[in-house]
Amino acid sequence: MNLNLTEKVIIVTGGAKGIGEGISTVLAAEGAIPVIVGRNEADNQRTVEALTAIGAQSFQIVAELTRPDECKKAVEQTLARFGRIDGLVNNAGVNDGVGLENGDYERFMQSLHKNMVHYYLMAHHALPALKASKGAIVNITSKTAETGQGNTSAYAAANGGRNALTREWAVELLPYSIRVNAVVVSESWTPLYENWINTFDDPKAKLDSIVSKIPLEKRMTTPEEIANMVVFLLSSKSSHTTGQMIYVDGGYVHLDRALT
Ligand SMILES: NC(=O)c1ccc[n+]([C@@H]2O[C@H](COP(=O)([O-])OP(=O)(O)OC[C@H]3O[C@@H](n4cnc5c(N)ncnc54)[C@H](O)[C@@H]3O)[C@@H](O)[C@H]2O)c1
């Protein structure tokens, strides 16, 4: 299938590591130009070099996305370099454990900035360019919006917000033929996931218990499997798909509990 993504300029927030790195890599393999926006220049540069080594184009921008001005600058720098934006993948975030009982106002609000506010700001600033290109938006979101997880109120709320924004923008952007979809992730091994699992007393036992409950093949979803769906949703091959939440999770959220 030709995804028609050659030379398309796609912003990927958090595109240097984990799921974002997977998305950058699959985009590059399809001939697109991923613009990696992340806070750590060395991480960004390492991914750009890995893509250059396979003969692919990419670009990196250092930005701390919890700072509204840096979201705006990241879009401006993309336009200064390429003059166009064909897609936006909102992906950067962190499951930061701000609970109901153990949390407080400041940490709750900070977490919303880490996980949701920059999704809005990146889409807001990229919108004129996306209107010009009839580009697409994909929001990466977490199962926690629907299933809960315990002790992570702000992250769950942010993911509920990410899902709601996906539907809301799909409606608002209909007149511009800009499609907006979400890819919902459950369990994917990334630096973030490794940090999270290490917060348990016995990380290996916790991991084994989770993996044993993933219906399809009792294994985690790879970043590449998530990326493949994201890249399809960015491409013209999904030209009549909008406002959808697509679960790339081996059936973890929806299949019969009796299976496990
Ligand atoms: N890994 C999972 O199992 C899982 C499950 C559900 C949802 N998700 C979602 O997937 C997304 C990516 O997760 P991951 O596991 O790949 O994470 P990760 O930490 O492994 O990689 C995220 C990258 O984004 C960057 N980043 C994060 N916040 C940033 C900020 N404020 N400004 C600039 N850069 C920032 C990090 O430095 C890192 O390079 C997150 O939004 C998370 O909610 C992941």
Side-chain angles (χ1 to χ4, degrees):
M1 189 186 287
N2 180 356
L3 296 177
N4 304 314
L5 284 168
T6 309
E7 306 269 297
K8 300 282 186 200
V9 176
I10 315 283
I11 293 177
V12 184
T13 68
K17 272 193 180 175
I19 291 166
E21 182 182 11
I23 295 165
S24 300
T25 305
V26 174
L27 278 171
E30 289 298 323
I33 306 172
V35 176
I36 296 161
V37 178
R39 60 161 71 98
N40 184 313
E41 184 165 15
D43 289 343
N44 294 350
Q45 203 51 48
R46 189 183 43 77
T47 303
V48 165
E49 280 161 21
L51 297 178
T52 306
I54 58 167
Q57 296 185 75
S58 61
F59 188 62
Q60 67 92 16
I61 293 169
V62 180
E64 170 49 66
L65 295 162
T66 55
R67 297 180 54 112
D69 54 324
E70 297 200 13
C71 295
K72 186 162 182 270
K73 270 195 228 150
V75 171
E76 287 169 354
Q77 285 174 32
T78 306
L79 287 170
R81 172 70 178 78
F82 296 105
R84 58 182 296 129
I85 298 171
D86 299 288
L88 168 66
V89 182
N90 278 318
N91 161 76
V94 58
N95 188 352
D96 50 0
V98 182
L100 183 59
E101 199 167 7
N102 81 5
D104 56 43
Y105 170 77
E106 279 76 22
R107 289 171 60 229
F108 185 84
M109 295 308 291
Q110 281 163 10
S111 180
L112 295 186
H113 279 276
K114 288 176 189 169
N115 288 300
M116 185 181 66
V117 177
H118 62 79
Y119 275 43
Y120 172 82
L121 290 175
M122 290 300 293
H124 173 72
H125 293 303
L127 186 55
L130 291 170
K131 281 164 71 174
S133 65
K134 295 194 173 160
I137 299 174
V138 177
N139 291 326
I140 301 299
T141 85
S142 160
K143 73 172 198 309
T144 53
E146 266 189 299
T147 63
Q149 189 172 73
N151 197 33
T152 199
S153 294
Y155 181 70
N159 278 292
R162 292 168 169 185
N163 287 350
L165 291 173
T166 301
R167 285 263 151 83
E168 166 65 10
W169 297 345
V171 172
E172 183 171 334
L173 303 182
L174 288 171
Y176 310 121
S177 296
I178 295 174
R179 299 176 301 101
V180 188
N181 293 288
V183 171
V184 188
V185 181
S186 292
E187 312 293 333
S188 184
W189 188 262
T190 65
L192 171 67
Y193 196 97
E194 188 173 6
N195 287 342
W196 174 76
I197 206 87
N198 283 332
T199 63
F200 292 91
D201 291 339
D202 186 346
K204 187 179 179 313
K206 181 69 182 174
L207 184 63
D208 288 348
S209 138
I210 292 169
V211 169
S212 72
K213 295 184 183 73
I214 299 173
L216 189 64
E217 300 174 353
K218 309 278 186 240
R219 65 171 179 84
M220 301 181 84
T221 311
T222 65
E224 186 183 0
E225 288 172 315
I226 295 160
N228 287 337
M229 179 59 75
V230 172
V231 171
F232 173 71
L233 290 170
L234 289 167
S235 82
S236 59
K237 294 294 178 188
S238 61
S239 49
H240 216 214
T241 302
T242 195
Q244 301 305 304
M245 260 78 84
I246 301 186
Y247 293 74
V248 181
D249 69 349
Y252 195 68
V253 171
H254 291 97
L255 297 188
D256 192 334
R257 292 281 186 278
L259 288 167
T260 56

